[in-house]
Amino acid sequence: AQSVTQLDSQVPVFEEAPVELRCNYSSSVSVYLFWYVQYPNQGLQLLLKYLSGSTLVESINGFEAEFNKSQTSFHLRKPSVHISDTAEYFCAVSPINTGGFKTIFGAGTRLFVKA
Amino acid sequence: KAGVTQTPRYLIKTRGQQVTLSCSPISGHRSVSWYQQTPGQGLQFLFEYFSETQRNKGNFPGRFSGRQFSNSRSEMNVSTLELGDSALYLCASSDGLARGDYGYTFGSGTRLTVV
């Protein structure tokens, strides 16, 4: 079975400051790792994903996440946040090749960017 | 390319009634997964359908059921509604193939309120 722990339920930060949203996971099989973002009254959008290869992955809007296998972590970072980054962020894992898709989500971290 | 379409967007039902929600995935996607999102429990996996077959199932009671049609459109049904079924129900579309990247495209959700 898999589980995902997002260590902070809320993260307030000032505009243009750096931010890190923490994610740890547990799994007995290999997994793919994802970050999704949810804006108010909308569904989730895929922000970035780690499938294989370089452990540092980037999104088009300046976020990056690093896969650390030894620490089973996949923290999300951005060096300078904008007001528009205010949203809820979900870390997720999908077990590989176990028959079908079953993505497990963390509880979410609400990022609040203040002016 | 059209996105994932969920209908209706909002529903109000009375305890004991049943409800059917609909999801049309992205054209060409054969996998449809359903999630229940609540403030207390986060995103909980309901089930996944691929080519009209249920491939994965979460830990929900039998009152929650689903099906998928030959055109990949999916419906989920909840019978004998309870107040605790009030939630945002999200549909997620994917190509469903093991050689794919397991990433989801989500619909905007159906917000169900049970009174």
Side-chain angles (χ1 to χ4, degrees):
Chain A
Q2 293 75 40
S3 66
V4 179
T5 302
Q6 292 185 243
L7 295 137
D8 306 291
S9 59
Q10 294 186 68
V11 174
V13 64
F14 284 104
E15 193 174 19
E16 297 183 8
V19 70
E20 179 179 77
L21 307 183
R22 297 177 293 168
C23 172
N24 286 94
Y25 71 93
S26 170
S27 178
S28 56
V29 300
S30 296
V31 295
Y32 292 143
L33 296 147
F34 306 86
W35 277 97
Y36 286 84
V37 58
Q38 185 176 33
Y39 298 100
N41 298 315
Q42 294 185 27
L44 280 71
Q45 300 174 31
L46 181 62
L47 187 60
L48 48 75
K49 60 191 176 190
Y50 172 77
L51 305 180
S52 64
S54 171
T55 57
L56 185 66
V57 291
E58 299 176 355
S59 72
I60 58 173
N61 57 354
F63 282 94
E64 64 178 30
E66 186 158 22
F67 169 51
N68 188 317
K69 189 173 183 179
S70 62
Q71 297 185 3
T72 59
S73 68
F74 191 53
H75 301 333
L76 181 70
R77 296 188 291 262
K78 189 171 186 180
S80 176
V81 295
H82 303 281
I83 296 287
S84 60
D85 292 324
T86 294
E88 189 151 23
Y89 292 80
F90 293 90
C91 182
V93 300
S94 287
I96 301 171
N97 293 331
T98 55
F101 289 10
K102 184 177 180 179
T103 300
I104 306 302
F105 288 84
T109 297
R110 192 171 295 277
L111 175 64
F112 179 57
V113 182
K114 300 178 284 186
Chain B
K1 200 174 190 182
V4 179
T5 303
Q6 288 189 249
T7 56
R9 281 297 309 272
Y10 301 93
L11 266 178
I12 299 175
K13 290 285 189 179
T14 305
R15 267 184 307 176
Q17 287 186 310
Q18 71 153 18
V19 67
T20 299
L21 312 182
S22 178
C23 171
S24 293
I26 286 175
S27 177
H29 280 186
R30 289 190 286 166
S31 170
V32 174
S33 297
W34 288 90
Y35 286 84
Q36 181 195 66
Q37 186 178 23
T38 58
Q41 299 296 317
L43 278 130
Q44 300 290 310
F45 175 78
L46 281 153
F47 27 65
E48 183 224 359
Y49 285 87
F50 178 81
S51 292
E52 303 179 65
T53 300
Q54 188 181 86
R55 279 202 305 196
N56 273 294
K57 191 176 187 305
N59 298 319
F60 279 79
R63 301 185 296 108
F64 291 82
S65 63
R67 59 178 176 168
Q68 188 179 35
F69 301 95
S70 58
N71 63 356
S72 294
R73 189 178 71 86
S74 177
E75 290 180 347
M76 68 162 281
N77 183 278
V78 188
S79 62
T80 319
L81 283 165
E82 300 176 0
L83 295 178
D85 297 333
S86 294
L88 180 67
Y89 289 87
L90 292 166
C91 165
S93 165
S94 177
D95 64 10
L97 302 174
R99 60 179 168 78
D101 65 12
Y102 289 55
Y104 286 148
T105 301
F106 278 88
S108 296
T110 294
R111 185 163 297 282
L112 171 65
T113 303
V114 182
V115 298

